[in-house]
Amino acid sequence: PIGTSFDDVISFTGSDRCDDSCCCANHAGYPCPGPDGDNDCSESCNETANNCTASDPLDSSCNDGVFCNGTDTCDDSGSCANHSGNPCPGHNTGPDCKDSCNENDDLCNANDANGTPCDTSKVCCNGSCQASCP
């Protein structure tokens, strides 16, 4: 009958149910989370081991929990280890000397490096634009 469960012997296709044409692969659900943006890049289906430990696809989005190292993606070994870009490029222009990466707050509001040029003939010193920095 339609909806009767069966096993198509393919481990990771989800729950097998008969459809209206016989016991065909009418699958519901997918047992492995796969790429889901967290820090675990080894959550895809591993048919051989019959578990969810295969590496997620290369460059799948992940999050290693570190804000200042840029955009995170999975590498080819199942780790969240590829990082690109800088979310805080640092001092831009003008007198504001608080444009650098603040890991504690996940914001771009940390003091720029002392000596960074700001305004005309001034430098950043302890977060403010001054004539000189001792």
Side-chain angles (χ1 to χ4, degrees):
I2 295 174
T4 303
S5 72
F6 73 100
D7 185 0
D8 68 0
V9 274
I10 300 173
S11 304
F12 286 97
T13 55
S15 300
D16 302 317
R17 300 272 181 218
C18 293
D19 62 17
D20 60 356
S21 63
C22 187
C23 285
C24 300
N26 183 4
H27 309 286
Y30 186 73
C32 298
D36 58 2
D38 64 5
N39 191 32
D40 188 351
C41 287
S42 295
E43 301 175 290
S44 291
C45 291
N46 181 337
E47 277 298 322
T48 306
N50 195 26
N51 61 28
C52 301
T53 59
S55 294
D56 292 344
L58 180 65
D59 295 329
S60 297
S61 178
C62 61
N63 184 349
D64 67 357
V66 179
F67 175 72
C68 293
N69 66 1
T71 302
D72 304 321
T73 57
C74 299
D75 65 13
D76 57 1
S77 68
S79 297
C80 186
N82 290 336
H83 313 287
S84 63
N86 181 347
C88 306
H91 188 73
N92 45 29
T93 59
D96 184 13
C97 287
K98 293 180 181 260
D99 302 309
S100 293
C101 197
N102 179 340
E103 186 65 48
N104 292 331
D105 296 332
D106 290 350
L107 296 171
C108 300
N109 63 0
N111 292 349
D112 296 330
N114 286 347
T116 302
C118 62
D119 271 354
T120 307
S121 336
K122 293 183 179 180
V123 295
C124 292
C125 186
N126 300 320
S128 65
C129 191
Q130 300 177 15
S132 66
C133 193

